[in-house]
Amino acid sequence: MTSIDLNSDVGESFGRWTLGDDAAMFSSVSSANVACGFHAGDPTVIRRTCRNAAEAGVVIGAHVGYRDLAGFGRRFLDISPGELADDVVYQIGALQALAAAEGTKVRYVKPHGGLYNAIVSHTAQARAVVDAVKSVDPGLPIMGLPGSEVLRLAEEAGLRAVTEAFADRAYNPDGTLVSRTQPGAVLHDPAEVAEHVLRMATEQSVRTIDGSILKIRAESICLHGDSPGAVAMATAVKSALADAGISIGAFA
């Protein structure tokens, strides 16, 4: 591998509440998953994030989630497929308008948090997400976990399915992410995160929570912008990839 996309969840501030240092993250990543207002973000934050991403040459993606501001979109919602599809269409459309106002555009869709985890195996909700994206723009790729239902259904529907790995999350031996309720689920040490990413990029594998090695092939690697020390981790990853001769570039 000579190039890899690094993505980050951004635009997650809300009103007077600030989360993450998006501007600093833009110096290390190539794709920005912009919150669309349902799990985080508001119109002013979203528009500013689009502007800053465009100025930094970072590609914009719609970070769609459950309608759950209080839970930051990390809780599963037993929502009907029809309602979920409408919510996803609404979020993509809002981001498209605000991106257009800043002279840029939405290039892909990445589900967030509880929705992301649910559609690894929840077929009905996965299909709702795919149907929503296809109805808005069948040219929009969907990003998700390798082997997930949403990516399988995306490919069946003729959409581009983009596999993703996580720089700062621990993995179970079956390839799923360790629940955030468990100790060790989130990685914080920049050196450990950089090693994690290098293994993904150079060996297409990851060390799981039990120490075993799992083969994983990803077109994009996520660095969470809301994690403590996110900027330091992103800087370490960027430096480690450069030392290995691997460039950072958007997949979309």
Side-chain angles (χ1 to χ4, degrees), residues 1-238:
M1 184 177 291
T2 58
S3 179
I4 187 70
D5 176 58
L6 292 184
N7 76 77
S8 184
D9 301 344
V10 295
E12 294 180 325
S13 297
F14 187 85
R16 298 178 68 179
W17 178 59
T18 300
L19 181 64
D21 187 345
D22 295 347
M25 292 299 290
F26 288 153
S27 66
S28 295
V29 303
S30 44
S31 298
N33 317 315
V34 181
C36 300
F38 273 27
H39 79 274
D42 61 48
T44 299
V45 167
I46 294 168
R47 183 168 184 174
R48 181 175 65 243
T49 303
C50 289
R51 181 189 314 128
N52 292 341
E55 290 174 350
V58 174
V59 166
I60 291 172
H63 203 29
V64 299
Y66 290 131
R67 199 184 321 177
D68 181 26
L69 278 174
F72 198 63
R74 286 182 173 158
R75 303 180 290 195
F76 172 73
L77 291 188
D78 189 11
I79 182 174
S80 73
E83 186 178 355
L84 177 58
D86 291 342
D87 281 357
V88 171
V89 169
Y90 184 98
Q91 291 175 82
I92 296 171
L95 183 60
Q96 285 177 324
L98 289 163
E102 293 300 329
T104 187
K105 63 187 294 187
V106 177
R107 302 280 291 275
Y108 65 95
V109 175
K110 175 186 170 180
H112 163 80
L115 178 59
Y116 185 99
N117 291 327
I119 58 180
V120 169
S121 57
H122 196 301
T123 301
Q125 290 199 359
R127 183 171 286 110
V129 171
V130 170
D131 289 346
V133 174
K134 188 172 183 178
S135 70
V136 173
D137 182 353
L140 287 174
I142 298 179
M143 186 184 292
L145 207 64
S148 61
E149 273 291 274
V150 70
L151 293 192
R152 181 184 70 81
L153 292 170
E155 289 182 333
E156 283 187 1
L159 303 181
R160 181 179 175 188
V162 178
T163 53
E164 178 185 37
F166 288 83
D168 50 5
R169 292 296 305 278
Y171 279 78
N172 292 309
D174 65 356
T176 59
L177 300 177
V178 174
S179 170
R180 286 178 178 269
T181 62
Q182 301 300 314
V186 180
L187 309 182
H188 298 286
D189 178 25
E192 183 182 7
V193 170
E195 180 186 2
H196 204 49
V197 172
L198 272 181
R199 183 177 285 111
M200 294 171 181
T202 61
E203 301 175 15
Q204 289 77 57
S205 65
V206 64
R207 187 178 299 280
T208 68
I209 194 74
D210 68 357
S212 61
I213 300 297
L214 174 72
K215 282 294 181 181
I216 185 170
R217 186 166 184 83
E219 292 185 66
S220 185
I221 298 175
C222 176
L223 289 154
H224 285 98
D226 66 311
S227 297
V231 174
M233 288 187 283
T235 301
V237 166
K238 181 180 180 180

